[in-house]
């Protein structure tokens, strides 16, 4: 089990009925316990599965689902029909279930015992029969769920369940996720804004505002000795730092010191509010006369944002609160997976035939978890926003490999999740662009990947992970009952555009029917 998810459980409920007698029910119960124990011992599931019992009647189904709803540790329910379980008895329970649902179509035994099979065996092992009955009522009820099909011991089957478990953990975390905005959206940018009330209705994140005068109250309480310790005991030990920057009399050292104070300030604010993420704004940094008063950030807290992303705080630049929310979930679901995560922005294009790619970066804020080499702590001029001054940042290029990047956009009548498989390639040196960066080619090709992303209304900001796949985002959208637009190696441009039109019709009709 993944330690990060120790406080979570997935409940396993087996469907049966009393038609076949008490002995059959006892066998169902024994088989279910053995299966749950085997799944937990497989080492493939990040969240512990707890056997919640066999349901044999409508009352028993409703009772277990009601208990699942109010149990804080339960983040999802797996249902499996060992025998034929008449699905009308599942109606009330499925109608009240508010936790994510996975329908596991499997069977206790792997092979048919050809030489000994009899009617008793047939009556007991009716998953081929019972799971279709259960699936029918889920479809009749329009119940969102994930369906996993395969033998319960197979690695492939368990890995699909593991993906869903991580997504359930991310969804559960979002229900208790406060994102703080330090400043609003910049320059009237549409794609970074949206309906915060509807967003909380659909996904659970709560987005709030903290004025910078409040931030300054925490800034004033930061002790110089704590800043010194962060600079010398953390920054200078964890990152590659030129000797000239360690000179305490230099301007560069002062800029690093200021960045450390900004980090400690943000950490204090986030801790005080119990927030899991934040946004920043180039134009909202405190006293405009900071060089004279010393009260405020001398530039956007880029280094702080890089390090806070590493620690799992959601982040969105330029007031992009949707990206801050989604990055927190990206990081949370990725815990224990290899490769790292980061907030990124489409920066500039490199047209090079089949290797045409996009340089991903931001002014300062890229998570060092995706770095190919040891990050370098550097100080360079940044001429944007109300502060045009040198500032500290971690500089590196990203690792190569396959990953997925995702974003959420507000379409007015719904939220749309867009995910694109991308391949990170080797970047050329950037001697005059001292920022952290990644270079990637969207799948299936640059033209199709970018074309589909733009047709779907995708943002220039996105949340990237080496460890996640588009299966995670499909599951996430399914649980949230949200539109999902997935772009990968199998995507056809014209078919994708047709699906966007069909989706529009579906959501307009769905809204009208409600």
């Amino acid at each position: 089990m993944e330690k990060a998810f120790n406080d979570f459980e997935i409940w396993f409920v087996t469907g049966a009925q009393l038609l076949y007698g008490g002995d059959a029910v006892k066998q169902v119960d024994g088989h279910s316990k053995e299966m749950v124990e085997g799944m937990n011992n497989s080492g493939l599931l990040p969240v512990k599965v707890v056997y919640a019992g066999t349901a044999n009647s409508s009352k028993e189904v409703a009772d277990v689902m009601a208990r699942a709803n109010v149990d804080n540790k339960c983040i999802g329910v797996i249902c499996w029909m060992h025998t034929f379980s008449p699905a009308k008895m599942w109606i009330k329970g499925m109608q009240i279930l508010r936790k994510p649902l996975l329908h596991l179509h499997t069977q206790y035994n792997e092979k048919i015992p050809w030489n000994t099979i009899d009617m008793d065996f047939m009556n007991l092992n009716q998953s081929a029969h019972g799971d279709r009955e259960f699936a029918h009522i889920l479809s009749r009820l329009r119940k969102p769920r994930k369906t996993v099909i395969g033998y319960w011991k197979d690695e492939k089957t368990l890995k699909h369940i593991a993906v869903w478990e991580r997504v359930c953990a991310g969804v559960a975390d979002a229900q208790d996720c406060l994102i703080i905005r330090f400043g609003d959206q910049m320059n009237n940018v549409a794609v970074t804004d949206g309906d915060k009330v509807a967003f909380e209705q659909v996904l659970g994140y709560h987005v709030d505002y903290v004025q910078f005068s409040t931030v300054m109250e925490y800034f004033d309480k930061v002790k110089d000795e704590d800043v010194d310790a962060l600079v010398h005991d953390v920054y200078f030990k964890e990152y590659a730092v030129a000797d000239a920057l360690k000179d305490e009399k230099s301007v560069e050292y002062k800029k690093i010191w200021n960045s450390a104070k900004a980090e400690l300030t943000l950490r204090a604010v986030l801790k005080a509010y119990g927030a899991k993420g934040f946004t920043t704004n180039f134009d909202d940094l405190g006293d405009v006369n900071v060089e004279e008063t010393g009260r405020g950030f001398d530039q956007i807290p880029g280094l702080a944002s890089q390090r806070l992303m590493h620690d799992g705080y959601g982040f969105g630049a330029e007031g992009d609160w949707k990206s801050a929310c989604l990055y927190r979930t990206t990081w949370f679901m990725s815990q224990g997976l290899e490769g790292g995560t980061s907030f990124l922005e489409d920066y500039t294009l490199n047209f090079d035939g089949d290797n045409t790619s996009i340089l991903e970066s931001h002014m300062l804020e890229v998570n060092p978890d995706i770095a190919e080499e040891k990050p370098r702590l550097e100080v360079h001029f940044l001429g944007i926003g109300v502060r045009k001054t040198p500032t500290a940042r971690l500089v590196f290029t990203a690792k190569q490999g396959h990953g997925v990047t995702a974003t959420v956009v507000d379409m007015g009548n719904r939220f749309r999740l867009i995910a694109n498989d991308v391949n990170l390639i080797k970047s050329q040196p950037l001697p005059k662009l001292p920022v952290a960066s990644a270079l990637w080619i969207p799948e299936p090709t640059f033209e199709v990947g970018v074309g589909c992303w733009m047709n779907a209304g995708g943002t220039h900001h996105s949340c990237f992970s080496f460890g996640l796949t588009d299966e995670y985002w499909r599951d996430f959208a399914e649980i949230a009952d949200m539109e999902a637009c997935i772009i990968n190696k199998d995507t056809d441009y014209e078919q994708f555009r047709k699906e966007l039109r069909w989706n529009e019709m579906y959501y307009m009709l769905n809204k009208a029917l409600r």
Side-chain angles (χ1 to χ4, degrees), residues 6-170:
N6 279 349
D7 292 334
F8 296 144
E9 295 176 350
I10 297 293
W11 284 15
F12 189 100
V13 180
T14 304
Q17 61 171 310
L18 299 177
L19 177 66
Y20 307 113
D23 289 341
V25 173
K26 289 180 181 178
Q27 290 183 75
V28 168
D29 194 61
H31 289 171
S32 300
K33 291 177 180 176
E34 181 184 336
M35 290 169 63
V36 168
E37 183 179 3
M39 293 165 70
N40 284 329
N41 291 337
S42 69
L44 296 173
L45 300 185
V47 182
K48 182 180 179 181
V49 180
V50 174
Y51 178 49
T54 298
N56 295 291
S57 67
S58 177
K59 184 178 183 305
E60 289 180 4
V61 172
D63 177 65
V64 71
M65 299 308 162
R67 287 189 287 111
N69 283 338
V70 297
D71 191 292
N72 290 331
K73 297 190 73 173
C74 176
I75 60 171
V77 176
I78 298 174
C79 288
W80 165 59
M81 306 299 113
H82 192 308
T83 70
F84 180 70
S85 182
K88 288 176 69 174
M89 74 181 225
W90 289 87
I91 294 174
K92 292 182 175 63
M94 291 297 98
Q95 285 179 320
I96 65 172
L97 178 65
R98 298 193 302 273
K99 298 293 175 75
L101 174 66
L102 183 146
H103 179 197
L104 177 60
H105 180 45
T106 191
Q107 191 167 271
Y108 170 71
N109 58 297
E110 182 177 17
K111 306 288 186 183
I112 293 175
W114 300 104
N115 294 326
T116 60
I117 186 171
D118 56 17
M119 283 308 301
D120 287 338
F121 182 93
M122 291 281 283
N123 287 335
L124 181 64
N125 298 281
Q126 291 195 56
S127 297
H129 186 181
D131 277 329
R132 282 161 174 75
E133 170 78 355
F134 182 63
H136 166 75
I137 206 64
L138 294 180
S139 296
R140 174 72 184 267
L141 296 172
R142 275 69 170 177
K143 187 71 175 178
R145 78 276 193 183
K146 178 172 187 172
T147 304
V148 174
I149 302 169
Y151 187 51
W152 60 274
K153 288 184 179 181
D154 286 350
E155 181 176 322
K156 181 180 179 181
T157 302
L158 292 169
K159 284 186 173 179
H160 284 302
I161 297 173
V163 167
W164 177 80
E165 285 193 342
R166 285 184 177 277
V167 175
C168 288

Side-chain angles (χ1 to χ4, degrees), residues 22 32 56 58 87 107 144 177-178 183 212 228 231 237 246-247 252 310 316 323 329 346 371 379 406 415 428 456:
S32 300
N56 295 291
S58 177
Q107 191 167 271
C177 187
L178 169 63
F212 222 84
D228 293 338
V231 171
K237 290 183 179 179
K246 298 179 182 179
D247 181 359
E252 290 80 8
H310 165 77
S323 286
T329 298
D346 299 316
V379 176
F415 292 100
Q428 297 295 318

Side-chain angles (χ1 to χ4, degrees), residues 88-373:
K88 288 176 69 174
M89 74 181 225
W90 289 87
I91 294 174
K92 292 182 175 63
M94 291 297 98
Q95 285 179 320
I96 65 172
L97 178 65
R98 298 193 302 273
K99 298 293 175 75
L101 174 66
L102 183 146
H103 179 197
L104 177 60
H105 180 45
T106 191
Q107 191 167 271
Y108 170 71
N109 58 297
E110 182 177 17
K111 306 288 186 183
I112 293 175
W114 300 104
N115 294 326
T116 60
I117 186 171
D118 56 17
M119 283 308 301
D120 287 338
F121 182 93
M122 291 281 283
N123 287 335
L124 181 64
N125 298 281
Q126 291 195 56
S127 297
H129 186 181
D131 277 329
R132 282 161 174 75
E133 170 78 355
F134 182 63
H136 166 75
I137 206 64
L138 294 180
S139 296
R140 174 72 184 267
L141 296 172
R142 275 69 170 177
K143 187 71 175 178
R145 78 276 193 183
K146 178 172 187 172
T147 304
V148 174
I149 302 169
Y151 187 51
W152 60 274
K153 288 184 179 181
D154 286 350
E155 181 176 322
K156 181 180 179 181
T157 302
L158 292 169
K159 284 186 173 179
H160 284 302
I161 297 173
V163 167
W164 177 80
E165 285 193 342
R166 285 184 177 277
V167 175
C168 288
V171 170
D173 179 73
Q175 306 313 304
D176 183 30
C177 187
L178 169 63
I179 300 294
I180 289 177
R181 295 184 301 137
F182 302 119
D184 209 335
Q185 278 69 40
M186 285 185 60
N187 300 323
N188 296 310
V189 177
V191 76
T192 58
D193 209 343
D195 187 334
K196 300 178 187 69
V197 174
F199 202 70
E200 186 167 349
Q201 279 183 285
V202 174
L203 294 166
Y205 309 100
H206 180 71
V207 181
D208 213 341
Y209 177 77
V210 174
Q211 61 270 32
F212 222 84
S213 59
T214 300
V215 177
M216 287 299 97
E217 294 174 10
Y218 291 88
F219 179 89
D220 292 338
K221 295 176 183 178
V222 175
K223 297 178 181 179
D224 287 356
E225 54 265 34
D226 292 335
V227 180
D228 293 338
L230 180 57
V231 171
H232 291 274
D233 298 340
V234 179
Y235 291 0
F236 289 171
K237 290 183 179 179
E238 290 189 8
Y239 311 118
V241 186
D243 290 339
L245 273 62
K246 298 179 182 179
D247 181 359
E248 297 186 12
K249 296 180 181 179
S250 68
V251 173
E252 290 80 8
Y253 177 86
K254 179 60 177 175
K255 293 299 181 180
I256 293 173
W257 196 92
N258 290 347
S259 293
K261 187 167 185 178
E263 177 182 336
L264 292 174
T265 301
L266 291 183
R267 287 186 183 276
V269 176
L270 293 166
K271 181 179 180 181
Y273 280 81
K276 296 179 180 178
F278 64 103
T279 69
T280 57
N281 185 312
F282 288 111
D283 296 328
D284 199 346
L285 301 170
D287 196 328
V288 294
N289 299 312
V290 63
E291 296 294 345
E292 298 176 12
T293 65
R295 294 195 76 245
F297 297 168
D298 61 1
Q299 186 47 278
I300 56 170
L303 177 58
S305 300
Q306 289 180 295
R307 287 175 44 77
L308 286 164
M309 272 193 281
H310 165 77
D311 290 342
Y313 285 99
F315 173 75
E318 302 147 28
D320 186 355
W321 51 270
K322 295 195 300 298
S323 286
C325 293
L326 198 66
Y327 177 74
R328 165 66 187 191
T329 298
T330 301
W331 177 87
F332 197 78
M333 293 194 303
S334 297
Q335 290 181 93
L337 302 178
E338 295 183 358
T341 60
S342 187
F343 165 88
L344 286 167
E345 176 180 85
D346 299 316
Y347 223 170
T348 191
L349 304 176
N350 185 53
F351 285 100
D352 184 23
D354 291 340
N355 289 320
T356 295
S357 54
I358 310 171
L359 185 66
E360 300 289 327
S361 185
H362 204 259
M363 295 300 170
L364 300 177
E365 307 97 335
V366 179
N367 186 354
D369 287 356
I370 67 171
E372 181 179 27
E373 69 283 342

Side-chain angles (χ1 to χ4, degrees), residues 391-409:
T391 190
R393 78 289 300 269
L394 297 176
V395 179
F396 56 85
T397 54
K399 293 173 281 193
Q400 292 86 64
H402 180 84
V404 63
T405 199
T407 188
V408 172
V409 294

